[in-house]
Amino acid sequence: MSTDTTGRTSATATAEAKVIDIDLRERYEDLLSFGSFTEVQRAFATSLGFMESDLTRVLVIDDTRDLEAHADALSLIVKAPGVQQVICLAVGPPLDDVGRGLGRLVADSAVDPNRVALHKPFELASHVMLWVGDARGIGWGMGQHRAQAIATGSSPAQGPVLDALFDALLTPKVFDRVYEVVRSMPEGVASPGLRAMIGQVDDDVLADARVRAIDRILAPRRHGDEEQPDGGLVTDPFRLLLRYPRAREAGNPILARDGGMDHVARGFRGQLKEAVNAHAVITGPGPVLQNLRAGGKAALSPAGLLTARVMQVGHDLGRLRDELSRMFTEYDSVHPLGTTDLLELGRRGFALAPPEGTQRVDLLASLRHLVTGALDSRRPVTEITGWLSWMHGMLVPVGSAARLDDLGRACDTDRLQYLRDMPRRLDVNLLSVLAILPVLVCGLLAAAAPDSARSSALAGAGAALFVAVRGWPLVVARRMTPLANHRMSDWIFLAVLALFIGSGATALLAVGAQEPATLAQAAAALGLLAVAGLVGWWFLLGKEATQVDRSPVDLAALVIIALGAGCVGQVLGTADSLDPVLSLPVRIVAGALAFVGLMWWPYLVWSRAVRRWHPGEYITLARAMSEGTIALMEDVARYDWSLTGPRRAGADLVRAMSLAFEDVTSALTGYSDRLRGFPARPPRSREAGVDTDVSLRLRSMGAAISDVVEADVVDLIASVIDRCWPDIEREALDALGERVVSETRYGLDRYNRHLERMGVHATPPFRADDTDRRELVDAAWQQSDRLGVLLRADVADSGLMQLCAPEHLQLLDVDARSAAVVRFAPRAAQPSLVARGPGTGAGGGWGFDPLPSAVLGELEWPEWGQVAGVLRLVRMRPGTVETVLKGGR
């Protein structure tokens, strides 16, 4: 076997032994027209698809009455330098029946010594002849002078036994053995007798198998994502050009490092990273609510930082979209950009040099790998054609201006505006029910927990202070403006808030004191001072500082509510009537609940506000739009500016191959249409001397035969496609359309001749792997339970059909010791014939003894064959054959 440049093992270049068969009854004039028999040999090899072959064996078929007249043709054959062995199969009556007008020989023991059956042309003196007096044959046991059985038939020139003999002689091993045996006989002439097992596939079964195989090869292609080639078949550079996933290290950065566009891309990613970190702080409120400044030393609160970054991304994306729209229009081209444009884009930060491995030779190697792999994996031709059409559509450059719609979708105006309009207000309302109710209840419980008035007053005042301490981080964390803008305002507000708490604490002490007048006056004074301070703060600083953000006044109101709840709790906690109810355990539980509630309520208020603000939605949208726009920018730069040349070259290559496959499809369709409607025929029947057991088994294996034919046709297609690559390599793409159809049709014609001559048993010259064929043929031959019995026949067996008429026996040497047998069977049958033994039966064998060693030693094992059997070669009686010169004895 040889290996071509694709790595495909091919039988095409194998010098395989073949037997040339020439029927001079029909092709005499054609043979002479060649002039040289070497040209006949070349034509024969070409017709079967062999580039070279061992054609030293020639099987000539002729009529006994025309042998002398065809001496010129025989001379042309035997004198050819490339011919070493010739077997002439002479079919027809003996010369006594014709030349002497005797009608028929008398069937008795008296033999006329002057009677001549054959004139052997002198040209065949050093070669051999087989005489077939009557192709219908007779059943005859050697040693007998009479036939035991006579086969029927319409013509003495044709019959199933003669067909089986012809098929057997087409196998070089049988040919060589017969040539050797007959050449050792007097005059080199023998009368053949045969008992055969036929293993041919019926013509209708073979036609149906071919139709079904081609239907599968031309199966309608699937739609959707499956139109893309399998990832394992696509290699670089097509993997890059077709946007298949590639290893990170295989990518070519299209943005120059530290260039303008690289800074833009990194700017977006940096802003979004800050927004994501802020979002993590906001949605995990521990750091927010445990920091009195709710932002530490940061310029903005986490909420303010998130909002600022998202809005900035929206504004920057709008500017980038406008810039890219202008560039897509300005540098639009379906051809490679000029030097000036490349330099200008390079200054803008694009690295547009095509990567290595995108030259035409690389494209061709990648395409060849894809096509060869698809054919090797037996993918339907229509599917491969669909792949190539999809690839062509992906590869043809359309220009950057055609991507403006994609840019509009990636950076949609409405969504940009949505980002720009992100609410700059985190609605943390300290006067909502979720804030007031916990503070009110917990302030009351805190004041009611102690059993003394002073302790109750201190607890109520402490609860109000705790509300202020826990509420202040919420005030700061909800701000969207820079924190430095609120610094002076916050300090004054906190001082005013302290006055309110002090006033409330003094009032609580006054409620529980024996002489409350002095404390009450102090509380009123502090309260008036706090109100005055709050009013002054509002008009001087608070109103201006809270134009965008919510005013912290709601925290002051919440503290006042806590103080009021403390007063009520103090009254209830010190009432003597409630002493039975407010036992020590109850007071402890109340105090614990108050502490837990005052710790918990800020989380409730904050979490609810963040959920209603849903900042994650804005971040997700900002990331999707920025990444989509950057990806589109890189895609346009890579595929519409950098790789335009390789894409155009790849599109031309793919289109040429796609047209080649369309032409193959057209040829296969016509071939299949011609085979459809092949008339069905009944199964082969068993006839005298011919068993059809293997043939019938093959008939039942139509599906398997169709699989073998499918593999053959796919390899035929591969051989046609392989011959397209040289034209593609030299850029002669127009030449493909002129030759693919003709070569496919020619290949199918050769395949037809191969099937007619050798069936599915032999590997066609374009086939690489024949594992499936061997399995099919092995199964058919090894399952036959009659083959072993047939091969046991000896030279005197009357089951062998002698190819003569009963009256021709007088011309034969009936002594069994002078005859010879040639046993033969395809190698596929060898394992079972050697291994079979008694007791095997249906479970694993065949119920008869193994073949005797003597029989096995005589068997010829051709590598392929459609027939097996025992060929008996009987000598002619002395004097019945004369060697004659042209024109006389």
Side-chain angles (χ1 to χ4, degrees):
M1 307 295 280
S2 66
T3 304
D4 62 18
T5 55
T6 66
R8 180 190 299 274
T9 303
S10 174
T12 304
T14 301
E16 185 175 351
K18 294 294 178 185
V19 177
I20 299 181
D21 60 293
I22 302 174
D23 192 338
L24 294 181
R25 298 173 298 181
E26 300 175 358
R27 306 300 299 273
Y28 175 71
E29 298 295 338
D30 294 338
L31 178 62
L32 294 180
S33 67
F34 275 90
S36 168
F37 191 73
T38 302
E39 296 304 317
V40 176
Q41 292 173 304
R42 289 195 178 102
F44 179 84
T46 303
S47 69
L48 292 178
F50 291 98
M51 294 178 61
E52 57 178 339
S53 185
D54 175 7
L55 300 175
T56 59
R57 302 165 182 83
V58 180
L59 175 62
V60 178
I61 304 96
D62 202 356
D63 194 294
T64 55
R65 294 160 289 192
D66 296 328
L67 286 172
E68 294 179 68
H70 291 165
D72 290 340
L74 295 174
S75 177
L76 183 69
I77 295 171
V78 299
K79 290 181 179 180
V83 175
Q84 297 179 7
Q85 297 170 290
V86 177
I87 295 178
C88 179
L89 192 59
V91 182
L95 295 182
D96 280 338
D97 290 355
V98 179
R100 300 191 179 188
L102 297 178
R104 295 184 303 168
L105 294 177
V106 180
D108 57 24
S109 59
V111 178
D112 184 351
N114 295 320
R115 282 182 176 168
V116 177
L118 291 174
H119 281 174
K120 182 179 181 181
F122 179 77
E123 288 76 9
L124 295 176
S126 59
H127 297 282
V128 303
M129 290 181 61
L130 297 178
W131 173 50
V132 177
D134 192 319
R136 293 166 292 192
I138 58 173
W140 170 60
M142 291 201 70
Q144 305 293 323
H145 294 278
R146 297 180 182 276
Q148 278 73 52
I150 299 176
T152 59
S154 59
S155 171
Q158 62 183 19
V161 180
L162 178 59
D163 293 339
L165 174 62
F166 176 80
D167 289 337
L169 291 174
L170 289 181
T171 57
K173 282 196 173 184
V174 177
F175 183 99
D176 292 345
R177 181 60 178 156
V178 171
Y179 186 89
E180 177 186 358
V181 171
V182 178
R183 194 173 185 187
S184 66
M185 295 181 175
E187 302 293 342
V189 180
S191 171
L194 181 65
R195 184 178 178 187
M197 173 70 73
I198 301 299
Q200 291 177 317
V201 180
D202 294 340
D203 292 341
D204 57 334
V205 174
L206 201 53
D208 181 67
R210 281 179 281 178
V211 169
R212 287 190 289 167
I214 293 175
D215 285 346
R216 287 196 298 272
I217 293 173
L218 300 181
R221 61 190 177 100
R222 297 166 292 186
H223 296 280
D225 293 339
E226 294 177 344
E227 290 185 1
Q228 302 181 17
D230 296 341
L233 297 175
V234 182
T235 59
D236 280 325
F238 276 115
R239 197 168 190 86
L240 167 65
L241 299 180
L242 295 173
R243 298 171 170 83
Y244 273 72
R246 304 168 74 230
R248 184 177 297 275
E249 60 271 14
N252 58 310
I254 199 67
L255 301 182
R257 186 173 181 80
D258 296 327
M261 288 303 173
D262 185 51
H263 280 298
V264 171
R266 285 192 288 173
F268 282 126
R269 296 185 182 106
Q271 291 175 10
L272 287 171
K273 183 177 180 180
E274 291 184 24
V276 169
N277 292 337
H279 183 263
V281 173
I282 292 171
T283 54
V288 173
L289 301 179
Q290 292 170 10
N291 186 344
L292 289 177
R293 287 298 295 167
K297 298 180 180 180
L300 290 169
S301 69
L305 180 64
L306 187 153
T307 303
R309 295 296 177 262
V310 169
M311 295 177 68
Q312 187 62 43
V313 168
H315 288 291
D316 292 346
L317 276 175
R319 288 191 290 272
L320 178 61
R321 182 188 65 177
D322 296 339
E323 177 66 11
L324 291 178
S325 297
R326 187 191 66 78
M327 294 171 64
F328 285 6
T329 303
E330 181 177 351
Y331 301 107
D332 174 46
S333 176
V334 294
H335 299 283
L337 295 176
T339 304
T340 303
D341 292 339
L342 291 175
L343 290 175
E344 180 62 27
L345 289 171
R347 283 192 289 269
R348 292 177 179 273
F350 294 101
L352 299 180
E356 295 183 1
T358 56
Q359 302 303 314
R360 192 175 186 279
V361 63
D362 304 305
L363 293 165
L364 186 61
S366 181
L367 179 60
R368 191 165 190 171
H369 177 274
L370 185 150
V371 171
T372 302
L375 290 173
D376 287 344
S377 59
R378 302 288 184 257
R379 305 305 288 262
V381 169
T382 48
E383 185 175 8
I384 299 174
T385 306
W387 290 353
L388 295 172
S389 297
W390 174 83
M391 291 170 63
H392 181 262
M394 290 288 292
L395 291 170
V396 172
V398 295
S400 55
R403 308 298 297 277
L404 288 173
D405 290 341
D406 296 335
L407 179 62
R409 285 188 291 269
C411 207
D412 181 74
T413 300
D414 293 338
R415 292 190 296 168
L416 274 180
Q417 194 61 41
Y418 184 71
L419 292 180
R420 294 167 180 167
D421 295 341
M422 181 179 182
R424 300 191 62 183
R425 185 181 184 88
L426 179 56
D427 191 16
V428 180
N429 186 1
L430 299 183
L431 293 181
S432 65
V433 175
L434 289 178
I436 293 176
L437 186 60
V439 168
L440 187 64
V441 173
C442 293
L444 188 149
L445 291 176
D451 56 356
S452 66
R454 185 178 180 80
S455 299
S456 178
L458 293 175
L465 179 62
F466 202 59
V467 168
V469 171
R470 296 293 291 162
W472 181 248
L474 295 179
V475 172
V476 178
R478 70 190 179 184
R479 286 174 177 165
M480 299 293 173
T481 54
L483 297 180
N485 296 351
H486 302 271
R487 188 168 297 160
M488 183 177 294
S489 173
D490 286 350
W491 282 114
I492 295 175
F493 179 79
L494 289 174
V496 171
L497 192 62
L499 289 175
F500 274 113
I501 294 174
S503 174
T506 304
L508 287 172
L509 290 173
V511 172
Q514 297 293 334
E515 297 178 359
T518 303
L519 294 174
Q521 292 175 359
L526 289 174
L528 290 174
L529 182 60
V531 171
L534 182 62
V535 173
W537 168 84
W538 174 257
F539 284 104
L540 293 177
L541 298 173
K543 185 177 182 180
E544 181 180 356
T546 57
Q547 288 178 349
V548 177
D549 298 320
R550 181 185 289 275
S551 171
V553 174
D554 54 352
L555 177 60
L558 192 63
V559 170
I560 293 172
I561 291 173
L563 290 171
C567 292
V568 176
Q570 183 184 34
V571 172
L572 295 176
T574 56
D576 295 337
S577 60
L578 294 178
D579 284 344
V581 177
L582 298 176
S583 60
L584 180 60
V586 173
R587 291 178 184 275
I588 293 175
V589 171
L593 289 176
F595 178 78
V596 172
L598 291 174
M599 286 290 294
W600 167 73
W601 74 268
Y603 289 98
L604 180 64
V605 173
W606 178 262
S607 298
R608 182 174 182 272
V610 170
R611 284 196 301 271
R612 295 178 64 183
W613 190 37
H614 47 81
E617 178 182 322
Y618 292 91
I619 294 176
T620 301
L621 179 60
R623 178 187 286 112
M625 292 184 66
S626 62
E627 291 181 353
T629 303
I630 293 171
L632 178 62
M633 175 181 68
E634 293 178 342
D635 189 81
V636 170
R638 178 175 287 113
Y639 293 102
D640 294 295
W641 293 337
S642 174
L643 295 175
T644 305
R647 287 182 65 193
R648 178 169 290 279
D652 291 342
L653 293 175
V654 168
R655 182 57 179 162
M657 187 52 58
S658 177
L659 291 175
F661 271 95
E662 290 177 5
D663 291 338
V664 168
T665 300
S666 174
L668 289 176
T669 301
Y671 178 73
S672 176
D673 290 342
R674 291 194 299 272
L675 290 172
R676 295 183 190 276
F678 193 95
R681 297 176 180 175
R684 293 176 185 266
S685 59
R686 186 175 181 180
E687 300 184 51
V690 175
D691 197 332
T692 59
D693 181 50
V694 175
S695 180
L696 293 175
R697 292 180 185 277
L698 285 170
R699 187 178 182 89
S700 65
M701 297 179 179
I705 294 173
S706 180
D707 292 339
V708 171
V709 172
E710 179 183 359
D712 287 346
V713 175
V714 169
D715 277 358
L716 186 153
I717 296 169
S719 68
V720 173
I721 296 300
D722 282 345
R723 290 191 291 275
C724 295
W725 297 117
D727 287 338
I728 296 178
E729 288 175 359
R730 60 187 179 90
E731 300 187 40
L733 303 183
D734 294 337
L736 293 179
E738 301 176 0
R739 57 180 295 180
V740 172
V741 172
S742 61
E743 287 204 6
T744 304
R745 290 173 178 169
Y746 175 65
L748 292 171
D749 290 340
R750 286 187 303 167
Y751 186 50
N752 275 347
R753 288 192 289 272
H754 170 86
L755 293 177
E756 292 170 0
R757 181 181 178 83
M758 293 171 279
V760 296
H761 302 74
T763 304
F766 46 77
R767 182 71 190 276
D769 178 21
D770 62 349
T771 303
D772 51 353
R773 184 188 317 278
R774 289 197 303 269
E775 292 175 353
L776 168 69
V777 176
D778 288 356
W781 283 104
Q782 293 178 22
Q783 291 175 10
S784 175
D785 55 359
R786 299 205 291 264
L787 180 59
V789 175
L790 182 149
L791 293 174
R792 293 167 181 267
D794 59 21
V795 70
D797 195 321
S798 61
L800 276 71
M801 300 300 292
Q802 199 70 26
L803 293 179
C804 65
E807 55 271 23
H808 297 162
L809 292 178
Q810 296 185 36
L811 301 174
L812 307 182
D813 187 345
V814 299
D815 187 357
R817 293 171 298 178
S818 64
V821 293
V822 176
R823 306 177 195 274
F824 55 93
R827 188 169 297 278
Q830 187 175 19
S832 60
L833 291 175
V834 173
R836 290 172 180 172
T840 51
W846 312 95
F848 52 79
D849 295 334
L851 292 177
S853 58
V855 173
L856 290 173
E858 293 176 355
L859 272 168
E860 298 292 337
W861 302 103
E863 293 299 325
W864 60 271
Q866 301 186 91
V867 62
V870 178
L871 175 60
R872 179 171 60 193
L873 299 169
V874 180
R875 294 183 180 184
M876 304 296 292
R877 284 186 182 273
T880 57
V881 178
E882 290 183 351
T883 300
V884 296
L885 296 173
K886 181 179 179 182
R889 299 189 178 184

